[in-house]
Amino acid sequence: QKEVEQNSGPLSVPEGAIASLNCTYSDRGSQSFFWYRQYSGKSPELIMSIYSNGDKEDGRFTAQLNKASQYVSLLIRDSQPSDSATYLCAVKAGNMLTFGGGTRLMVKP
Amino acid sequence: DADVTQTPRNRITKTGKRIMLECSQTKGHDRMYWYRQDPGLGLRLIYYSFDVKDINKGEISDGYSVSRQAQAKFSLSLESAIPNQTALYFCATSDTRFGYYNEQFFGPGTRLTVL
C-alpha cells in the first residue's frame, strides 16, 4: 500500500511569516512530487511540481525534495491571509498519483 | 480558456437510484481521471482512462462504472447509489506529452449527497 502522510493541522502562522508544510511517502520508486492548494469547497489547484532532489523556487513558494529521506516539503514565504487553505501533497509512482490527506494552513492577520 | 467542466455541480439523490456524473475538457489532454474526496481522507482514485479504448480501475472502483465517450468526455456512474457514496467528486486530466510528470488538472467538482 503506497502511502503519503501529512500532518492534518491546522498549522497557524502570523501574516508575513514562513509557513512550512511537510510530507513523507513510502514508495521509494516515486518519480514526481506535487503540491496542490485547495480552498474550502473548491477544487485542488496545482502550485508546485518537483522531480529532482533539492530546492525549486517559484515566487513565494519553495518546494524541497529529499528522496533518500522520502520527504518533500513546501515553504511559503511572506504568508498572506489568502494563503489560508488546505495543501495537498501528491506523489507519482507508476501511472498514478497518490494524495496525502492534506494540511490545513491558517494565516492570521 | 482551456478548461475542465463537471455536471451537475450539486446533486441530491436517494438510495438505490442510478446517477451519472459527467466531465468534459477542452484542454486537449488524453488522460482523464475520477476521484472522490471525503473529509480527512484526501483524494482517492476511482477510475482512470489513458485514451478512449483504455479504462482502468483505481483504488476504490467498487460500486462505480465509467464510460469514455470521446477523448474529451469521461462519465462516472453509480448504478445503485448508497449513502456512503456521499462525497465530493472530482474529474482531472493530464497530457501524455508530459506523461513522466503526470501533472493533473482538476474540474470544479460535484457534491453528491445520497439520502
Side-chain angles (χ1 to χ4, degrees):
Chain A
Q1 180 78 11
K2 300 172 185 175
E3 294 182 348
V4 178
E5 300 287 341
Q6 296 181 255
N7 188 318
S8 62
L11 172 66
S12 183
V13 300
E15 183 174 358
I18 296 175
S20 178
L21 305 165
N22 303 315
C23 172
T24 59
Y25 60 95
S26 63
D27 187 347
R28 286 195 171 274
S30 299
Q31 304 149 320
S32 312
F33 307 85
F34 307 92
W35 284 99
Y36 286 83
R37 177 177 63 199
Q38 186 176 26
Y39 294 111
S40 181
K42 302 297 184 181
S43 60
E45 174 192 8
L46 181 64
I47 55 172
M48 288 291 287
S49 307
I50 187 166
Y51 317 113
S52 304
N53 278 329
D55 295 359
K56 179 182 178 183
E57 185 175 320
D58 184 359
R60 295 187 297 113
F61 298 101
T62 299
Q64 299 175 317
L65 175 61
N66 184 325
K67 289 186 177 180
S69 299
Q70 296 175 244
Y71 179 93
V72 58
S73 65
L74 179 70
L75 301 178
I76 306 175
R77 289 181 300 281
D78 188 24
S79 295
Q80 301 297 309
S82 58
D83 294 325
S84 297
T86 296
Y87 290 79
L88 303 173
C89 173
V91 175
K92 176 180 179 286
N95 288 320
M96 292 187 288
L97 289 186
T98 300
F99 285 82
T103 297
R104 184 174 160 220
L105 173 66
M106 298 174 59
V107 181
K108 296 187 174 181
Chain B
D1 281 343
D3 213 347
V4 183
T5 58
Q6 292 184 235
T7 56
R9 295 294 311 278
N10 288 282
R11 181 70 183 267
I12 299 174
T13 192
K14 295 182 178 180
T15 297
K17 294 291 188 181
R18 183 180 188 274
I19 185 167
M20 179 181 288
L21 309 183
E22 298 185 334
C23 177
S24 295
Q25 53 110 350
T26 57
K27 289 184 170 292
H29 289 176
D30 53 346
R31 300 181 175 189
M32 298 186 73
Y33 310 81
W34 276 105
Y35 291 90
R36 67 177 277 175
Q37 187 174 38
D38 300 275
L41 293 180
L43 287 154
R44 292 182 292 166
L45 183 64
I46 306 172
Y47 271 96
Y48 63 101
S49 170
F50 285 173
D51 65 40
V52 174
K53 296 180 181 179
D54 178 75
I55 303 289
N56 302 282
K57 292 182 177 180
E59 180 187 354
I60 53 163
S61 59
D62 287 349
Y64 301 94
S65 62
V66 291
S67 174
R68 185 84 183 264
Q69 300 95 326
Q71 185 180 26
K73 295 184 181 294
F74 193 35
S75 299
L76 176 72
S77 293
L78 288 67
E79 296 301 325
S80 179
I82 56 177
N84 76 359
Q85 291 177 314
T86 293
L88 191 53
Y89 288 84
F90 289 105
C91 174
T93 71
S94 67
D95 192 330
T96 300
R97 289 173 296 176
F98 307 106
Y100 180 80
Y101 306 115
N102 200 31
E103 293 180 342
Q104 294 185 17
F105 300 91
F106 286 80
T110 295
R111 185 169 296 281
L112 176 65
T113 303
V114 183
L115 301 176

Coordinates of all heavy atoms in Angstrom, one line a residue, chain B residues 21-75:
Chain B
L21 N -22.4 11.2 -13.4 CA -21.7 12.5 -13.3 C -20.9 12.6 -14.6 O -20.2 11.6 -15.0 CB -20.8 12.5 -12.1 CG -21.4 12.1 -10.7 CD1 -20.4 12.2 -9.6 CD2 -22.6 13.0 -10.5
E22 N -20.9 13.8 -15.2 CA -20.2 14.0 -16.4 C -19.0 14.9 -16.3 O -19.1 15.9 -15.6 CB -21.2 14.4 -17.5 CG -22.3 13.4 -17.7 CD -23.3 13.8 -18.8 OE1 -23.4 15.0 -19.1 OE2 -23.9 12.9 -19.4
C23 N -18.0 14.7 -17.1 CA -16.8 15.5 -17.2 C -16.5 15.8 -18.6 O -16.4 14.8 -19.5 CB -15.7 14.8 -16.5 SG -14.1 15.7 -16.6
S24 N -16.2 17.0 -19.0 CA -15.8 17.4 -20.3 C -14.6 18.3 -20.2 O -14.4 19.1 -19.2 CB -16.9 18.2 -21.0 OG -18.0 17.3 -21.3
Q25 N -13.7 18.2 -21.1 CA -12.5 19.1 -21.1 C -12.1 19.6 -22.5 O -12.3 18.9 -23.5 CB -11.3 18.3 -20.5 CG -11.0 17.0 -21.2 CD -9.7 16.9 -22.0 OE1 -9.1 17.9 -22.2 NE2 -9.4 15.7 -22.4
T26 N -11.6 20.8 -22.5 CA -11.2 21.4 -23.7 C -9.7 21.7 -23.7 O -9.1 22.5 -24.5 CB -11.9 22.8 -23.9 OG1 -11.6 23.6 -22.8 CG2 -13.4 22.6 -24.1
K27 N -9.0 21.0 -22.8 CA -7.5 21.1 -22.7 C -6.8 20.3 -23.8 O -5.6 20.5 -24.0 CB -7.0 20.6 -21.4 CG -7.4 21.6 -20.2 CD -6.8 21.1 -18.9 CE -7.0 22.1 -17.8 NZ -6.2 23.3 -18.1
G28 N -7.5 19.4 -24.5 CA -6.8 18.5 -25.4 C -6.0 17.4 -24.8 O -5.1 16.8 -25.5
H29 N -6.2 17.2 -23.5 CA -5.4 16.1 -22.8 C -6.0 14.8 -23.1 O -7.2 14.6 -23.4 CB -5.5 16.4 -21.3 CG -4.7 17.5 -20.8 ND1 -4.7 17.9 -19.5 CD2 -3.9 18.4 -21.5 CE1 -3.9 19.0 -19.4 NE2 -3.4 19.3 -20.6
D30 N -5.2 13.7 -23.1 CA -5.7 12.4 -23.5 C -6.0 11.6 -22.2 O -6.8 10.6 -22.3 CB -4.6 11.7 -24.3 CG -3.3 11.6 -23.7 OD1 -3.0 12.4 -22.7 OD2 -2.4 10.8 -24.2
R31 N -5.5 11.9 -21.1 CA -5.7 11.1 -19.9 C -6.8 11.8 -19.0 O -6.7 13.0 -18.8 CB -4.5 10.9 -19.1 CG -3.4 10.2 -19.9 CD -2.1 10.0 -19.1 NE -1.1 9.2 -19.8 CZ 0.0 8.8 -19.3 NH1 0.3 9.0 -18.0 NH2 0.8 8.1 -20.0
M32 N -7.7 11.0 -18.5 CA -8.8 11.5 -17.6 C -8.9 10.6 -16.4 O -8.7 9.4 -16.5 CB -10.1 11.7 -18.4 CG -10.0 12.7 -19.5 SD -11.5 13.1 -20.4 CE -12.3 14.1 -19.2
Y33 N -9.4 11.2 -15.3 CA -9.4 10.5 -14.0 C -10.7 10.9 -13.3 O -11.2 12.1 -13.4 CB -8.2 10.9 -13.1 CG -6.9 10.9 -13.8 CD1 -6.5 11.9 -14.7 CD2 -6.1 9.8 -13.6 CE1 -5.2 11.8 -15.3 CE2 -4.8 9.7 -14.2 CZ -4.4 10.7 -15.1 OH -3.2 10.7 -15.7
W34 N -11.2 10.0 -12.4 CA -12.2 10.3 -11.5 C -11.7 10.0 -10.1 O -11.2 8.9 -9.8 CB -13.5 9.5 -11.7 CG -14.4 10.1 -12.8 CD1 -14.6 9.7 -14.0 CD2 -15.3 11.2 -12.6 NE1 -15.5 10.5 -14.7 CE2 -15.9 11.4 -13.8 CE3 -15.5 12.1 -11.5 CZ2 -16.9 12.5 -14.0 CZ3 -16.5 13.1 -11.7 CH2 -17.1 13.3 -12.9
Y35 N -11.9 11.0 -9.2 CA -11.5 10.9 -7.8 C -12.8 11.2 -6.9 O -13.7 12.0 -7.3 CB -10.5 11.9 -7.4 CG -9.1 11.7 -8.0 CD1 -8.8 12.3 -9.2 CD2 -8.1 11.0 -7.3 CE1 -7.5 12.1 -9.7 CE2 -6.9 10.8 -7.8 CZ -6.6 11.4 -9.0 OH -5.3 11.3 -9.5
R36 N -12.7 10.7 -5.7 CA -13.7 11.1 -4.7 C -12.9 11.7 -3.5 O -11.8 11.2 -3.2 CB -14.7 10.1 -4.2 CG -14.1 8.9 -3.5 CD -15.2 8.0 -3.0 NE -15.8 8.4 -1.8 CZ -16.9 7.8 -1.2 NH1 -17.4 6.8 -1.8 NH2 -17.4 8.3 -0.1
Q37 N -13.5 12.6 -2.8 CA -12.8 13.2 -1.6 C -13.8 13.2 -0.5 O -14.9 13.7 -0.6 CB -12.4 14.7 -1.9 CG -11.5 15.3 -0.8 CD -11.0 16.6 -1.2 OE1 -11.7 17.5 -1.8 NE2 -9.8 16.9 -0.8
D38 N -13.3 12.6 0.6 CA -14.0 12.6 1.9 C -13.2 13.3 2.9 O -12.0 13.3 2.9 CB -14.3 11.2 2.3 CG -15.0 10.3 1.3 OD1 -16.3 10.4 1.4 OD2 -14.4 9.7 0.4
P39 N -13.9 14.0 3.8 CA -13.1 14.8 4.8 C -12.1 14.0 5.5 O -12.3 12.9 6.0 CB -14.2 15.2 5.8 CG -15.5 15.2 5.0 CD -15.3 14.1 4.0
G40 N -10.8 14.5 5.5 CA -9.7 13.8 6.2 C -9.1 12.7 5.5 O -8.1 12.1 5.9
L41 N -9.7 12.3 4.3 CA -9.2 11.1 3.6 C -8.4 11.5 2.3 O -8.0 10.6 1.6 CB -10.3 10.1 3.3 CG -10.9 9.4 4.5 CD1 -12.0 8.5 4.0 CD2 -9.9 8.7 5.3
G42 N -8.4 12.7 2.0 CA -7.7 13.1 0.8 C -8.5 12.7 -0.4 O -9.7 12.4 -0.4
L43 N -7.8 12.6 -1.5 CA -8.4 12.3 -2.8 C -8.1 10.8 -3.1 O -6.9 10.4 -3.0 CB -7.8 13.1 -3.9 CG -8.3 14.6 -3.9 CD1 -7.3 15.5 -4.6 CD2 -9.6 14.6 -4.7
R44 N -9.1 10.0 -3.5 CA -8.9 8.6 -3.8 C -9.3 8.4 -5.2 O -10.4 8.8 -5.6 CB -9.6 7.7 -2.8 CG -9.0 7.8 -1.4 CD -9.8 6.9 -0.4 NE -11.1 7.3 -0.2 CZ -12.0 6.5 0.4 NH1 -11.7 5.3 0.8 NH2 -13.3 7.0 0.6
L45 N -8.5 7.6 -5.9 CA -8.8 7.4 -7.4 C -9.8 6.3 -7.5 O -9.7 5.2 -7.0 CB -7.5 7.0 -8.0 CG -7.5 6.8 -9.5 CD1 -7.9 8.1 -10.3 CD2 -6.2 6.3 -10.0
I46 N -10.8 6.6 -8.4 CA -11.9 5.6 -8.6 C -11.6 4.9 -9.9 O -11.6 3.7 -10.0 CB -13.3 6.3 -8.7 CG1 -13.5 7.2 -7.5 CG2 -14.4 5.3 -8.9 CD1 -14.8 8.1 -7.6
Y47 N -11.4 5.6 -11.0 CA -11.1 5.1 -12.3 C -10.2 6.1 -13.1 O -10.3 7.3 -12.8 CB -12.4 4.9 -13.2 CG -13.1 3.5 -13.0 CD1 -14.1 3.4 -12.1 CD2 -12.7 2.4 -13.8 CE1 -14.8 2.2 -12.0 CE2 -13.3 1.2 -13.6 CZ -14.4 1.1 -12.7 OH -15.0 -0.1 -12.6
Y48 N -9.5 5.5 -14.1 CA -8.7 6.4 -14.9 C -8.7 5.8 -16.3 O -8.9 4.6 -16.5 CB -7.3 6.7 -14.4 CG -6.4 5.5 -14.3 CD1 -5.4 5.2 -15.2 CD2 -6.5 4.6 -13.2 CE1 -4.6 4.1 -15.1 CE2 -5.7 3.5 -13.0 CZ -4.7 3.3 -14.0 OH -3.8 2.2 -13.8
S49 N -8.5 6.7 -17.3 CA -8.5 6.3 -18.7 C -7.4 7.1 -19.4 O -7.3 8.3 -19.3 CB -9.9 6.7 -19.3 OG -9.8 6.6 -20.7
F50 N -6.5 6.3 -20.2 CA -5.4 7.0 -20.9 C -5.8 7.3 -22.3 O -5.1 8.0 -23.0 CB -4.2 6.1 -20.8 CG -3.5 6.1 -19.4 CD1 -2.4 5.3 -19.2 CD2 -3.9 7.0 -18.5 CE1 -1.8 5.4 -17.9 CE2 -3.3 7.1 -17.2 CZ -2.2 6.2 -17.0
D51 N -6.8 6.6 -22.9 CA -7.4 7.0 -24.1 C -8.8 6.4 -24.2 O -9.2 5.7 -23.3 CB -6.5 6.7 -25.3 CG -6.3 5.2 -25.5 OD1 -7.3 4.4 -25.4 OD2 -5.2 4.8 -25.9
V52 N -9.5 6.6 -25.3 CA -10.9 6.2 -25.4 C -11.0 4.7 -25.2 O -12.0 4.2 -24.7 CB -11.5 6.6 -26.8 CG1 -12.9 6.1 -27.0 CG2 -11.5 8.1 -26.9
K53 N -10.0 3.9 -25.6 CA -10.2 2.4 -25.5 C -9.5 1.9 -24.3 O -9.4 0.6 -24.1 CB -9.6 1.8 -26.8 CG -10.3 2.2 -28.1 CD -9.6 1.5 -29.3 CE -10.4 1.9 -30.6 NZ -9.8 1.3 -31.8
D54 N -9.1 2.7 -23.4 CA -8.3 2.3 -22.2 C -9.0 2.8 -20.9 O -9.0 4.0 -20.7 CB -6.9 2.8 -22.3 CG -6.1 2.4 -21.1 OD1 -5.7 1.2 -21.0 OD2 -5.8 3.3 -20.2
I55 N -9.5 1.8 -20.2 CA -10.2 2.1 -18.9 C -9.5 1.3 -17.8 O -9.4 0.1 -18.0 CB -11.7 1.8 -18.9 CG1 -12.4 2.6 -20.1 CG2 -12.3 2.1 -17.6 CD1 -12.5 4.0 -19.9
N56 N -9.2 1.9 -16.7 CA -8.6 1.1 -15.6 C -9.2 1.4 -14.3 O -9.6 2.6 -14.0 CB -7.1 1.6 -15.5 CG -6.4 1.3 -16.8 OD1 -6.0 0.2 -17.2 ND2 -6.2 2.4 -17.6
K57 N -9.3 0.4 -13.4 CA -9.8 0.6 -12.1 C -8.7 1.3 -11.2 O -7.5 1.0 -11.3 CB -10.2 -0.7 -11.5 CG -11.4 -1.4 -12.1 CD -11.7 -2.7 -11.4 CE -12.9 -3.3 -12.0 NZ -13.3 -4.6 -11.4
G58 N -9.2 2.1 -10.3 CA -8.4 2.8 -9.4 C -8.5 2.1 -8.0 O -8.8 0.9 -7.9
E59 N -8.2 2.9 -7.0 CA -8.1 2.3 -5.6 C -9.5 1.9 -5.1 O -9.6 0.9 -4.3 CB -7.6 3.4 -4.7 CG -7.5 3.0 -3.2 CD -7.0 4.2 -2.4 OE1 -6.7 5.3 -3.0 OE2 -7.0 4.1 -1.2
I60 N -10.6 2.6 -5.5 CA -11.9 2.3 -4.9 C -13.0 2.2 -6.0 O -14.0 3.0 -6.0 CB -12.2 3.4 -3.9 CG1 -12.1 4.8 -4.5 CG2 -11.4 3.3 -2.6 CD1 -12.8 5.9 -3.7
S61 N -12.9 1.3 -6.9 CA -13.8 1.2 -8.0 C -15.1 0.5 -7.7 O -16.1 0.7 -8.5 CB -13.1 0.6 -9.2 OG -12.7 -0.7 -8.9
D62 N -15.2 -0.2 -6.7 CA -16.4 -1.0 -6.4 C -17.6 -0.1 -6.2 O -17.6 0.9 -5.5 CB -16.3 -1.8 -5.1 CG -15.4 -3.0 -5.3 OD1 -15.0 -3.3 -6.4 OD2 -15.0 -3.6 -4.3
G63 N -18.7 -0.4 -6.9 CA -19.9 0.4 -6.9 C -20.0 1.5 -7.9 O -21.0 2.2 -8.0
Y64 N -18.9 1.6 -8.7 CA -18.8 2.7 -9.8 C -18.6 2.0 -11.1 O -18.0 1.0 -11.2 CB -17.7 3.7 -9.5 CG -17.8 4.4 -8.1 CD1 -17.2 3.9 -7.0 CD2 -18.6 5.6 -8.0 CE1 -17.3 4.6 -5.8 CE2 -18.7 6.2 -6.8 CZ -18.0 5.7 -5.7 OH -18.1 6.4 -4.5
S65 N -19.0 2.7 -12.2 CA -18.6 2.4 -13.5 C -18.3 3.6 -14.3 O -18.7 4.7 -13.9 CB -19.6 1.5 -14.2 OG -20.8 2.3 -14.4
V66 N -17.6 3.5 -15.4 CA -17.2 4.7 -16.2 C -17.4 4.4 -17.7 O -17.5 3.3 -18.1 CB -15.8 5.2 -16.0 CG1 -15.6 5.7 -14.5 CG2 -14.8 4.1 -16.3
S67 N -17.5 5.5 -18.4 CA -17.6 5.5 -19.9 C -16.7 6.6 -20.4 O -16.9 7.8 -20.0 CB -19.0 5.6 -20.3 OG -19.1 5.7 -21.7
R68 N -15.9 6.3 -21.4 CA -15.1 7.3 -22.1 C -15.7 7.5 -23.5 O -15.4 6.7 -24.4 CB -13.6 6.9 -22.2 CG -12.7 8.0 -22.8 CD -12.3 9.0 -21.7 NE -11.5 10.0 -22.3 CZ -10.1 10.1 -22.3 NH1 -9.5 9.0 -21.8 NH2 -9.5 11.1 -22.8
Q69 N -16.6 8.4 -23.6 CA -17.3 8.6 -24.9 C -16.5 9.2 -26.0 O -16.8 9.0 -27.2 CB -18.6 9.4 -24.6 CG -19.6 8.9 -23.6 CD -19.3 9.5 -22.2 OE1 -18.2 9.8 -21.8 NE2 -20.4 9.7 -21.5
A70 N -15.5 10.0 -25.6 CA -14.7 10.6 -26.6 C -13.4 11.1 -25.8 O -13.4 11.0 -24.6 CB -15.4 11.9 -27.2
Q71 N -12.4 11.6 -26.5 CA -11.2 12.0 -25.8 C -11.6 13.0 -24.8 O -10.9 13.1 -23.7 CB -10.2 12.5 -26.8 CG -8.9 12.8 -26.1 CD -7.8 13.4 -27.0 OE1 -8.1 13.9 -28.0 NE2 -6.5 13.2 -26.6
A72 N -12.6 13.9 -25.1 CA -12.9 15.0 -24.2 C -13.9 14.7 -23.2 O -14.2 15.6 -22.3 CB -13.3 16.2 -25.1
K73 N -14.5 13.5 -23.1 CA -15.6 13.2 -22.2 C -15.4 11.9 -21.5 O -15.1 10.9 -22.1 CB -16.9 13.2 -23.0 CG -17.3 14.5 -23.7 CD -18.7 14.4 -24.4 CE -19.1 15.7 -25.1 NZ -19.3 16.7 -24.1
F74 N -15.7 12.0 -20.2 CA -15.5 10.9 -19.3 C -16.5 10.9 -18.2 O -16.6 11.9 -17.5 CB -14.1 10.9 -18.7 CG -13.6 9.7 -18.0 CD1 -13.9 8.4 -18.4 CD2 -12.7 9.8 -16.9 CE1 -13.4 7.3 -17.8 CE2 -12.2 8.7 -16.2 CZ -12.5 7.4 -16.7
S75 N -17.4 9.9 -18.2 CA -18.6 9.9 -17.3 C -18.4 8.8 -16.2 O -17.9 7.8 -16.4 CB -19.9 9.6 -18.1 OG -20.1 10.6 -19.0

